[in-house]
């Protein structure tokens, strides 16, 4: 399904970049190694930039015909983002997802990559540098936890539960301000709400069957393509707030992911009333 991209080679590249450029800088960043982008909590570090530089160079060597779209590349050249919708083949990378955590010394960050072909996500990888394992999926092939020794475990989403027993994660910071208080109030209807400030680990937690919902409003491809496909391959139902499928070129419209469509409908009607 991944056309000319070998998923195991891409997964190994993410791991090598983490070991070379990310882990040596964890809890060792200097004052000049961290900078704010759009706001004080939107950070970039030397680890983000150097890891993406390495992944980009290797990707272009291995798959010279593919568009490379990285978070930091787009930050430097925003027009790149518009190339994704029409690319025959693209590799989309978040070199350090959870940069706020990484910069604060919190060991909850990841490296993510997805493969897009003809406007459709066909593969996704989330690598955890601290646990040294991958969660990955190819379209139609299921979702898997894989370890460097070759061990593999198939992932399944949680069984559906009633609204008042749901445990999940919602990123409310990018909701419309006039709706945020209403939705935070609505979340009193579920059992628990949490947020890791790291989509990589939130998607891993969901695909592993530990929580019942994920909600996001701001949709950047490097944050959500890999995790959405992995969740779907683990059995999830995923759609934007209007019920339409989430596609690689979508940047807004919200995203709600649940174990099944009935759970999605309940949460959309009772909680996420955007």
């Amino acid at each position: 399904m991944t056309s000319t991209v070998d998923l195991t080679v891409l997964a190994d590249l993410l791991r090598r970049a983490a070991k070379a450029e990310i882990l040596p800088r964890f809890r060792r960043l200097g004052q000049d190694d961290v900078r704010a982008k759009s706001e004080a909590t939107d950070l970039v570090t030397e680890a983000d930039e150097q890891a993406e530089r390495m992944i980009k160079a290797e990707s272009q060597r291995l798959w010279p015909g593919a568009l490379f779209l990285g978070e930091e590349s787009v930050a430097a050249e925003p027009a790149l983002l518009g190339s994704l919708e029409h690319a025959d083949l693209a590799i989309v990378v978040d070199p350090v997802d959870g940069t706020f955590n990484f910069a604060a010394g919190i060991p909850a960050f990841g490296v993510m990559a997805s493969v897009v072909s003809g406007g459709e996500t066909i593969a996704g990888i989330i690598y955890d540098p601290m646990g040294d394992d991958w969660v990955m999926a190819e379209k139609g092939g299921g979702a898997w936890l894989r370890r460097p020794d070759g061990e593999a475990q198939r992932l399944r989403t949680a069984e559906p539960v009633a609204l008042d027993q749901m445990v999940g994660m919602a990123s409310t910071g990018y909701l419309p301000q006039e709706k945020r208080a209403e939705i935070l109030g609505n979340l009193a209807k579920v059992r628990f709400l949490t947020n890791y400030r790291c989509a990589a680990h939130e998607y891993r937690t969901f695909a592993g069957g530990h929580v019942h919902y994920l909600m996001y409003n701001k949709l950047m491809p490097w944050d959500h393509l890999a995790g959405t496909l992995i969740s779907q391959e683990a059995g999830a139902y995923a759609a934007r707030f209007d019920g339409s499928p989430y596609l690689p070129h979508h940047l807004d419209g919200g995203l709600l992911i649940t174990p099944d469509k009935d759970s999605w409908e309940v949460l959309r009607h009772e909680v996420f009333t955007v």
Side-chain angles (χ1 to χ4, degrees), residues 5-202:
V5 177
D6 185 326
L7 200 62
T8 60
V9 173
L10 181 56
D12 181 66
L13 173 55
L14 302 187
R15 182 176 187 244
R16 289 191 289 113
K19 290 184 177 297
E21 302 293 354
I22 298 171
L23 288 175
R25 292 179 168 91
F26 184 52
R27 295 179 178 163
R28 292 178 174 84
L29 291 168
Q31 187 173 357
D32 295 334
D33 294 334
V34 184
R35 299 177 299 284
K37 294 194 289 187
S38 63
E39 56 180 322
T41 58
D42 180 18
L43 303 178
V44 62
T45 73
E46 283 296 302
D48 298 74
E49 293 176 336
Q50 295 302 325
E52 182 167 318
R53 188 171 288 116
M54 175 179 171
I55 296 168
K56 179 179 181 179
E58 281 291 287
S59 294
Q60 291 179 331
R61 181 183 68 81
L62 291 164
W63 306 291
L67 169 71
F68 182 89
L69 197 72
E71 179 176 7
E72 306 315 326
S73 299
V74 172
E77 190 179 344
L80 278 173
L81 195 55
S83 305
L84 182 60
E85 184 176 2
H86 304 292
D88 291 334
L89 182 68
I91 298 170
V92 181
V93 170
D94 190 343
V96 181
D97 184 69
T99 299
F100 182 91
N101 294 346
F102 180 82
I106 300 168
F109 53 91
V111 188
M112 298 200 286
S114 58
V115 181
V116 175
S117 178
E120 179 184 25
T121 308
I122 60 171
I125 306 168
I126 302 175
Y127 176 66
D128 174 17
M130 303 302 293
D132 194 22
D133 57 19
W134 306 266
V135 166
M136 62 175 70
E138 292 185 73
K139 190 171 180 63
W144 299 84
L145 171 64
R146 299 190 183 275
R147 297 185 172 91
D149 63 4
E151 181 184 348
Q153 175 186 339
R154 189 152 190 172
L155 301 176
R156 301 283 186 187
T157 56
E159 291 296 319
V161 296
L163 179 63
D164 63 358
Q165 294 303 306
M166 290 185 186
V167 176
M169 303 177 183
S171 178
T172 60
Y174 294 106
L175 289 168
Q177 188 169 2
E178 65 275 11
K179 275 286 186 178
R180 194 179 306 162
E182 175 188 332
I183 289 171
L184 286 170
N186 289 344
L187 281 161
K189 299 175 184 179
V190 304
R191 185 70 181 91
F192 283 115
L193 164 70
T194 189
N195 183 312
Y196 293 162
R197 288 193 58 86
C198 177
H201 277 284
E202 291 167 0

Side-chain angles (χ1 to χ4, degrees), residues 191-228:
R191 185 70 181 91
F192 283 115
L193 164 70
T194 189
N195 183 312
Y196 293 162
R197 288 193 58 86
C198 177
H201 277 284
E202 291 167 0
Y203 279 113
R204 287 176 62 110
T205 302
F206 178 85
H210 303 291
V211 296
H212 304 102
Y213 64 87
L214 299 176
M215 188 285 293
Y216 302 99
N217 193 52
K218 182 181 179 182
L219 306 180
M220 304 311 291
W222 43 83
D223 288 328
H224 300 295
L225 295 185
T228 299

